């Protein structure tokens, strides 16, 4: 038996490693146009022999487009952070290309319920988006894209002609160009002539952060809905330009698995998604099964993966009238790896991905009319749902933060959601909304289901296991006041022209001064302005109190956190300062007020000790092995992209040997810090440094004796007297994971960490098991969770008991320094803008927190 197994493995290797030319991959029943370049003609190696680099992938796609212009139109959707092009090949028949714009415009009418009923679907092509390797270190998809593109460009005969006549293919060879380039470089540079299959080899173990992520270490497969990143924004523009019927998302999974295709776990489908979606997903799955059966590949469905979070590539289409399909191939992670199923070669993984590209297209052709009818029905039924629903719309916004409301509105428009300006003041549920900077989203529109997916709170679930987060209510994430509108409230609003382009606030300097300038700390962009001033050498102070002061011929009240720029304390003269402040105000889109007296009408005068000097933050973040790359990336993106603040990224080994005196602020995100010099860090904090800890970094610091917080314990989910069976193990243990839910933290609005907030609660996202006990010092916990903090999402009763009455933020005084413990991730996935103010307050004002508020017990 062992000899037979060894022979089988040997034969498998022989086929997989030697047969790397196109015959190994391509259907042998098809003839191919010899004038079309094969991959090796352009990239200089066979597909699967090396991992394709993005630059060579681009070269090949350009060569195909040049060689087959009658079938392929090449578009550039945009560019990544590293300026790599995001290509899109529009592939269809010559006849369809001749009227491509007409086809596109007609196809878009399917999503317009007022015009779709009269459409003739008999000869309308179906639109399929085929996307590859959104995770850069899951490369079999991107490598298979060369085979798919070659097949569509070069195949000849009735079969391909029929396919191209009936299908318009939007072919995206690499969802994540920067990550693909990073990973391919790694595995190629570690490939041996005699392939090493040992999983312990360096080839299969990337250095931190790995190739999964984009430039800023983000998982782009969680960004379809928030669309924070330029890769997502570029792609979404083309998605809605065509509104495909099917979108495929080619991934990889653990090396010891086989191959997965949807449908996923039935009980974990988002309830907003209609049942018909899953019916069509299963019908399409029959084609994948048949094609994989032909080549003898093992596969599974309806396990592990779900269709719940609408921010993933395989789920976002489901709420946009399309069918998203997730493919997960067992990963070789390099060129050849030992697995439980034998030796897994890279060419084998590429072939499975290519075969399911073909199965998708065959299914799309056969089921063409049914998919087109579903897209029309999806949007028609959405209008019917809106009519019958008691919720007729949403209102959001307010004057406190115009920039954040504009960013949110821009996100809605990116998803083709209709938004209007509020034209009159209204009071709803005790909340007052005035017309300025307030927006209305009516439910009676085609994107009704997506609106629910963005605005709804969810507290009831069919399942207790989740592949990703359980809640993402976007207005809560952005920290925007919002509420539902019923029929009467909606009818009282006269909707004007819908917003076509977001108008961001214009910054200005209101009045020249020889005494002082003031600006509120309310707007999202104020950290950008403050750092720009400090970088220019301007001395600034922050108000630790409220005050009212004359301005021109009137007066104005200013809140905690107001920034003051005293004119006479600067090295620049008054004219130079005026020019600089005006420029920064305009660039940061904030309003700055010039005042000509320090004599307050009420509250503290401007010369009071209640105004503290704000030192320029000199920031370093600990990164590298053990730290959570996405958490670190969120901080990097926030500081670099949003606020133009540079931060040094210190590997733990570098931290241990450098002089820390040049930094006054250190950031440690969730992760493990086993190699960090604890005593050196403690000495730095005691010497006056501000240490900002999030999530699991708090636990590490507490164990190291640097943070003085204590933690609440979670009770066991199983009592010793409970009768349990082994089959329930995964369900019981999985339900105890904190996948992520939204909680309302009660806030002390007078605390420096709360400057700029005006609501008594702040919504924070928790996806960890860090439960901080409230300290005996009442001033040390400015953000706390009450007895009923859950706003949206699911968690076990045991975990919820630990969240209740815990501290969301705790401040410790360590020597002359401060340790700011933020139990959760205030920057989650870069769209949790409601937590950005807390994080930036820790950076700018953490060193200003009074020692008494952070003393240990």
């Amino acid at each position: 038996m062992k000899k037979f197994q060894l022979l089988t493995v040997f034969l498998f290797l022989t086929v997989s490693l030697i047969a790397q030319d196109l015959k190994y991959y391509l259907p042998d029943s098809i003839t191919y146009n010899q004038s079309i370049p094969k991959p090796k003609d352009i990239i200089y190696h066979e597909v699967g022999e090396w991992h394709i680099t993005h630059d060579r992938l681009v070269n090949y796609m350009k060569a195909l487009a040049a060689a087959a212009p009658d079938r392929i139109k090449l578009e550039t959707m945009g560019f990544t952070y590293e300026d790599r092009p995001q290509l899109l090949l529009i592939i269809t028949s010559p006849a369809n290309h001749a009227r491509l714009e007409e086809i596109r415009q007609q196809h878009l009418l399917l999503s317009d319920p007022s015009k779709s009923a009269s459409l003739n679907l008999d000869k309308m092509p179906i639109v399929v988006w085929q996307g590859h390797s959104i995770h850069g270190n899951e490369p079999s998809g991107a490598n298979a894209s060369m085979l798919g593109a070659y097949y569509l460009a070069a195949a000849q005969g009735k079969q391909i002609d029929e396919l191209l006549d009936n299908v318009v293919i939007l072919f995206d060879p690499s969802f994540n160009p920067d990550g693909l380039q990073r990973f391919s470089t790694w595995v190629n540079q570690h490939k041996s002539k005699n392939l090493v299959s040992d999983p312990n080899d360096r080839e299969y173990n990337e250095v931190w952060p790995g190739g999964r992520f984009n430039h800023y270490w983000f998982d782009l497969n969680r960004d379809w809905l928030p669309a924070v990143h330029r890769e997502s924004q570029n792609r979404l523009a083309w998605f809605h330009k065509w509104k495909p019927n099917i979108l495929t998302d080619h991934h990889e999974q653990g090396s010891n698995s086989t191959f997965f295709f949807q449908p996923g776990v039935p009980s974990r489908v988002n309830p907003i998604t209609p049942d018909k979606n899953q019916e069509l997903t299963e019908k399409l799955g029959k084609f994948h099964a048949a094609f994989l059966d032909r080549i003898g590949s093992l596969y599974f469905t309806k396990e592990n993966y779900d269709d719940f979070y609408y921010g993933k590539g395989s789920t976002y289409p489901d709420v946009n009238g399309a069918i998203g399909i997730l493919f997960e191939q067992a990963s070789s992670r390099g060129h050849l790896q030992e697995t439980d199923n034998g030796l897994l070669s890279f060419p084998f993984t590429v072939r499975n991905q290519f075969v399911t590209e073909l199965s998708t297209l065959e299914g799309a052709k056969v089921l063409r009319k049914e998919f087109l009818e579903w897209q029309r029905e999806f949007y028609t039924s959405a209008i019917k749902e809106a009519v019958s629903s008691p919720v007729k719309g949403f209102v959001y916004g307010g004057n406190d933060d115009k920039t954040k409301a504009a960013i949110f509105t821009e996100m809605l428009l990116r998803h083709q959601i209709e938004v209007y300006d509020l034209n009159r003041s209204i009071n709803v549920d005790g909340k007052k909304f005035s017309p300025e900077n307030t927006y209305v989203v009516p439910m009676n529109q085609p994107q009704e289901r997506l609106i629910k997916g963005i605005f709804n709170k969810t507290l009831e679930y069919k399942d207790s296991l989740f592949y990703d987060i359980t809640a993402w209510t976007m207005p809560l994430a952005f920290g925007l006041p919002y509420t539902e509108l019923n029929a009467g409230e909606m009818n009282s609003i006269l909707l004007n022209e819908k917003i076509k382009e977001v108008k961001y606030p214009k910054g200005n300097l209101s009045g020249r001064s020889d005494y002082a300038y003031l600006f509120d700390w309310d707007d999202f962009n104020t950290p950008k302005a403050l750092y720009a001033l400090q970088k220019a050498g301007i001395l600034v102070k922050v108000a630790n109190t409220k005050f009212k002061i004359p301005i021109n011929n009137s007066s104005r009240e200013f809140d905690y956190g107001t920034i003051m720029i005293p004119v006479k304390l600067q090295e620049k003269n008054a004219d130079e300062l005026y020019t600089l402040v005006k420029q920064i105000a305009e660039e940061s889109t904030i309003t700055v007020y010039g005042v000509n007296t320090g004599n307050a009408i009420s509250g503290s005068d401007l010369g009071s000790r209640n105004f503290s000097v704000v030192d320029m933050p000199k920031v370093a973040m600990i990164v590298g092995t053990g730290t959570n790359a996405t958490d670190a990336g969120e901080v990097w993106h926030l500081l670099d992209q949003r606020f133009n603040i540079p931060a040094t990224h210190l590997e733990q080994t570098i931290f241990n040997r450098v002089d820390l005196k040049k930094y006054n602020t250190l950031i440690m995100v969730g992760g493990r810090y086993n190699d960090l010099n604890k005593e050196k860090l403690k000495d730095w904090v005691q010497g006056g440094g501000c240490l900002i800890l999030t999530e699991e970094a708090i636990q590490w610091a507490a164990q190291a004796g640097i943070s003085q917080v204590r933690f609440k314990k979670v009770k066991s989910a199983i009592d010793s007297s409970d009768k349990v069976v082994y089959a329930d193990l995964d369900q019981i243990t999985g339900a105890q994971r904190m996948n992520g839910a939204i909680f309302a933290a009660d806030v002390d609005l007078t605390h420096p960490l709360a400057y700029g907030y005006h609501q008594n609660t702040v919504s924070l996202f928790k996806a960890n098991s860090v439960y901080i006990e409230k300290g005996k010092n009442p001033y040390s916990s400015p953000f706390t969770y009450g007895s009923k903090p859950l706003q949206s999402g699911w968690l076990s009763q045991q975990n919820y008991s630990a969240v209740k009455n815990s501290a969301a933020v705790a401040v410790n005084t360590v020597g002359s320094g401060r340790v700011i413990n933020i139990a959760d991730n205030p920057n989650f996935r870069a769209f949790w803008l409601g937590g950005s103010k807390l994080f930036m307050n820790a950076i700018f004002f953490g060193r200003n927190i009074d020692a008494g508020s952070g003393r240990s017990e």
Side-chain angles (χ1 to χ4, degrees):
M1 182 66 181
K2 288 185 178 179
K3 290 182 179 180
F4 176 77
Q5 289 176 335
L6 288 172
L7 178 61
T8 302
V9 170
F10 176 76
L11 291 174
F12 172 76
L13 277 176
T14 302
V15 172
S16 299
L17 299 182
I18 297 175
Q20 291 177 336
D21 62 15
L22 292 182
K23 292 179 182 178
Y24 173 64
Y25 303 103
L26 297 177
D28 56 10
S29 59
I30 302 293
T31 59
Y32 297 91
N33 184 343
Q34 295 303 305
S35 67
I36 303 298
K38 299 178 177 64
K40 188 175 181 180
D41 298 334
I42 305 300
I43 67 172
Y44 311 115
H45 61 81
E46 297 287 1
V47 174
E49 182 181 3
W50 295 89
H51 283 245
I52 190 66
T53 57
H54 186 261
D55 54 333
R56 291 190 179 187
L57 182 63
V58 168
N59 290 342
Y60 184 62
M61 295 301 160
K62 288 182 176 180
L64 283 181
D70 58 331
R71 291 189 182 183
I72 301 176
K73 181 181 181 183
L74 183 66
E75 299 281 1
T76 300
M77 295 183 286
F79 294 86
T80 68
Y81 288 111
E82 296 176 15
D83 285 329
R84 291 190 173 88
Q86 293 176 260
L87 298 186
L88 187 71
L89 286 69
I90 304 177
I91 307 175
T92 190
S93 67
N96 285 342
H97 269 298
R99 59 184 193 93
L100 193 63
E101 181 59 18
E102 176 190 340
I103 291 174
R104 187 183 73 85
Q105 292 288 353
Q106 188 180 47
H107 185 80
L108 290 179
L109 295 179
L110 289 172
S111 59
D112 184 349
S114 67
K115 300 176 181 178
S116 62
S118 61
L119 289 175
N120 184 352
L121 307 183
D122 291 340
K123 295 185 178 180
M124 180 184 288
I126 186 173
V127 179
V128 178
W129 188 303
Q130 294 192 294
H132 306 84
S133 300
I134 201 163
H135 297 143
N137 62 357
E138 299 176 6
S140 55
N143 282 265
S145 74
M146 291 183 288
L147 300 169
Y150 174 77
Y151 175 85
L152 294 169
Q156 294 178 318
K158 181 180 178 181
Q159 184 176 338
I160 188 67
D161 290 342
E162 184 180 333
L163 174 68
L164 295 179
D165 281 339
N166 286 278
V167 185
V168 174
I169 302 144
L170 306 176
F171 198 84
D172 190 337
S174 173
F175 275 148
N176 180 5
D178 295 346
L180 180 69
Q181 187 75 15
R182 190 183 314 128
F183 179 73
S184 61
T185 300
W186 175 266
V187 290
N188 287 337
Q189 72 181 8
H190 292 101
K191 176 188 175 184
S192 299
K193 180 183 71 171
N194 300 292
L195 298 182
V196 177
S197 60
D198 184 353
N200 298 318
D201 187 73
R202 187 170 169 82
E203 179 180 353
Y204 310 106
N205 295 277
E206 303 169 77
V207 293
W208 191 96
R212 179 183 179 89
F213 311 114
N214 78 341
H215 176 80
Y216 282 100
W217 311 332
F218 273 77
D219 186 338
L220 290 177
N221 196 42
R222 305 298 186 269
D223 195 44
W224 284 77
L225 188 61
V228 170
H229 296 283
R230 60 177 62 172
E231 296 95 334
S232 305
Q233 294 170 8
N234 295 336
R235 190 187 324 114
L236 280 175
W238 279 87
F239 179 95
H240 287 290
K241 189 174 181 178
W242 275 96
K243 292 191 182 294
N245 301 96
I246 299 171
L247 184 144
T248 61
D249 192 11
H250 291 263
H251 285 253
E252 291 182 1
Q253 57 186 326
S255 301
N256 293 319
S257 297
T258 57
F259 190 93
F260 168 85
F261 58 83
Q262 286 178 314
V265 180
S267 59
R268 301 180 207 165
V269 177
N270 195 300
I272 297 172
T273 302
D275 293 340
K276 182 69 173 180
N277 172 282
Q278 294 297 293
E279 292 175 19
L280 288 173
T281 300
E282 190 154 7
K283 281 189 175 183
L284 193 58
K286 300 297 183 184
F287 290 86
H288 308 321
F291 275 56
L292 290 169
D293 285 343
R294 289 179 198 171
I295 62 172
S297 287
L298 297 175
Y299 54 83
F300 65 97
T301 66
K302 299 181 181 179
E303 296 177 21
N304 295 3
Y305 302 96
D306 64 31
D307 279 308
F308 190 77
Y309 171 51
Y310 284 135
K312 297 189 298 182
S314 59
T315 314
Y316 180 78
D318 296 345
V319 77
N320 281 279
I323 307 297
I325 300 296
L326 171 67
F327 296 118
E328 292 275 357
Q329 165 62 48
S331 179
S332 66
R333 273 297 185 271
H335 293 87
L336 180 70
Q337 187 175 167
E338 299 167 9
T339 74
D340 291 348
N341 296 311
L343 287 166
L344 178 62
S345 75
F346 186 46
F348 178 80
T349 69
V350 172
R351 184 174 65 161
N352 280 346
Q353 300 280 25
F354 170 61
V355 165
T356 49
E357 286 183 356
L358 298 185
S359 64
T360 299
L361 295 176
E362 180 65 17
K365 182 190 72 175
V366 174
L367 301 172
R368 176 189 61 83
K369 193 170 181 179
E370 192 169 355
F371 274 88
L372 294 172
E373 287 173 343
W374 166 239
Q375 191 168 48
R376 175 165 59 186
E377 170 60 23
F378 178 89
Y379 287 103
T380 301
S381 61
I383 297 298
K384 293 177 182 177
E385 282 190 9
V387 171
S388 62
S389 173
V391 179
K392 299 302 181 184
F394 292 91
V395 59
Y396 69 89
N399 292 325
D400 294 339
D401 196 335
K402 297 178 180 179
T403 298
K404 203 160 56 177
I407 295 171
F408 184 80
T409 303
E410 191 170 55
M411 180 199 70
L412 297 180
L413 296 184
R414 195 171 282 125
H415 297 297
Q416 307 290 296
I417 292 172
E418 298 171 10
V419 185
Y420 299 80
D421 286 311
L422 180 67
N423 57 17
R424 56 179 292 271
S425 296
I426 58 172
N427 286 283
V428 185
D429 293 334
K431 299 176 182 177
K432 183 176 181 180
F433 294 91
S434 59
E436 186 180 2
N437 196 48
T438 304
Y439 305 89
V440 178
V441 178
M443 293 300 290
N444 192 9
Q445 57 173 293
Q447 291 290 61
E448 178 260 358
R449 290 190 176 97
L450 182 55
I451 294 168
K452 290 194 291 188
I454 289 173
F455 283 86
N456 280 7
K457 298 176 182 177
T458 307
L459 293 170
E460 296 182 2
Y461 297 83
K462 292 182 179 179
D463 205 328
S464 58
L465 301 185
F466 301 86
Y467 187 75
D468 199 66
I469 61 178
T470 73
W472 56 89
T473 310
M474 301 297 271
L476 295 180
F478 275 68
L480 291 172
Y482 86 109
T483 193
E484 299 173 350
L485 297 172
N486 61 31
E489 293 157 348
M490 193 69 205
N491 291 335
S492 71
I493 300 171
L494 179 64
L495 297 179
N496 299 319
E497 288 291 317
K498 60 186 176 184
I499 297 172
K500 295 181 179 179
E501 184 178 354
V502 175
K503 294 181 180 178
Y504 278 83
K506 291 185 178 180
N508 69 88
L509 174 53
S510 176
R512 184 187 181 284
S513 174
D514 289 325
Y515 192 83
Y517 295 101
L518 303 170
F519 62 88
D520 299 308
W521 191 243
D522 300 344
D523 192 84
F524 181 76
N525 277 342
T526 49
K528 179 179 179 180
L530 176 54
Y531 187 81
L533 289 165
Q534 293 175 322
K535 185 179 179 181
I538 304 303
L539 183 146
V540 293
K541 293 190 174 188
V542 62
N544 302 308
T545 184
K546 291 184 176 183
F547 63 98
K548 185 176 182 179
I549 200 162
I551 296 180
N552 297 327
N553 297 320
S554 184
S555 62
R556 189 178 185 279
E557 293 184 351
F558 289 88
D559 210 337
Y560 292 93
T562 296
I563 300 300
M564 178 182 67
I565 307 165
V567 175
K568 298 301 183 181
L569 297 184
Q570 312 300 334
E571 294 183 2
K572 296 182 183 294
N573 63 43
D575 290 334
E576 291 172 333
L577 183 62
Y578 170 78
T579 300
L580 176 66
V581 172
K582 184 175 184 295
Q583 176 186 342
I584 290 174
E586 292 172 350
E587 291 175 349
S588 304
T589 67
I590 67 168
T591 297
V592 179
Y593 301 90
V595 295
N596 294 310
T597 179
N599 188 11
I601 297 172
S602 61
S604 297
D605 295 329
L606 299 192
S608 166
R609 289 175 62 88
N610 281 322
F611 288 82
S612 306
V613 172
V614 182
D615 294 330
M616 186 172 95
K618 299 172 183 177
V619 182
M621 176 169 58
I622 312 299
V623 299
T625 303
T627 57
N628 186 309
T630 54
D631 285 10
E634 288 151 10
V635 174
W636 181 17
H637 179 272
L638 180 74
L639 298 181
D640 193 40
Q641 286 288 324
R642 301 283 195 190
F643 300 137
N644 295 335
I645 299 175
T648 300
H649 299 156
L650 290 176
E651 293 275 344
Q652 295 184 41
T653 53
I654 302 297
F655 171 92
N656 292 342
R657 63 179 174 81
V658 299
D659 184 357
L660 299 179
K661 292 179 181 178
K662 63 170 63 176
Y663 313 113
N664 57 21
T665 304
L666 282 177
I667 298 169
M668 295 173 65
V669 298
R672 305 183 310 277
Y673 295 88
N674 300 336
D675 297 328
L676 201 66
N677 187 323
K678 303 172 186 177
E679 292 306 316
K680 183 175 182 179
L681 177 60
K682 189 171 185 178
D683 290 344
W684 175 85
V685 176
Q686 289 176 331
C690 179
L691 177 62
I692 302 171
L693 306 169
T694 66
E695 301 192 280
E696 295 84 3
I698 301 172
Q699 294 172 322
W700 177 88
Q703 291 172 356
I706 298 170
S707 175
Q708 286 114 26
V709 298
R710 296 175 181 173
F711 302 97
K712 299 178 69 175
K713 294 182 179 180
V714 180
K715 294 181 180 179
S716 174
I718 303 174
D719 189 86
S720 58
S721 61
D722 291 340
K723 184 177 181 180
V724 296
V725 294
Y726 182 77
D728 293 336
L729 176 63
D730 288 344
Q731 185 73 31
I732 293 172
T733 57
Q736 296 307 308
R737 287 196 296 265
M738 278 291 296
N739 287 80
I742 307 171
F743 301 90
D746 299 324
V747 184
D748 175 0
L749 295 175
T750 70
H751 196 282
L753 294 181
Y755 288 172
Y757 288 110
H758 295 279
Q759 300 179 76
N760 291 323
T761 60
V762 171
S763 299
L764 296 174
F765 185 84
K766 188 172 195 66
N768 61 53
S769 299
V770 179
Y771 310 110
I772 301 176
E773 287 186 353
K774 291 181 182 178
K776 293 181 180 179
N777 182 342
Y779 306 110
S780 66
S781 303
F783 291 68
T784 58
Y785 293 126
S787 58
K788 295 181 179 180
L790 182 63
Q791 292 180 297
S792 186
W794 190 93
L795 73 164
S796 70
Q797 287 300 317
Q798 293 79 12
N799 283 321
Y800 195 21
S801 295
V803 174
K804 293 177 181 178
N805 301 307
S806 66
V809 179
V811 181
N812 301 143
T813 296
V814 179
S816 299
R818 304 291 181 270
V819 178
I820 299 173
N821 307 271
I822 305 175
D824 307 312
N825 183 356
N827 309 308
F828 182 68
R829 291 182 181 170
F831 72 82
W832 214 270
L833 303 190
S836 301
K837 191 72 72 177
L838 161 62
F839 193 75
M840 298 312 298
N841 287 348
I843 288 176
F844 281 109
F845 310 136
R847 292 173 301 283
N848 291 41
I849 296 174
D850 187 273
S853 70
R855 293 197 185 281
S856 60
E857 297 169 14

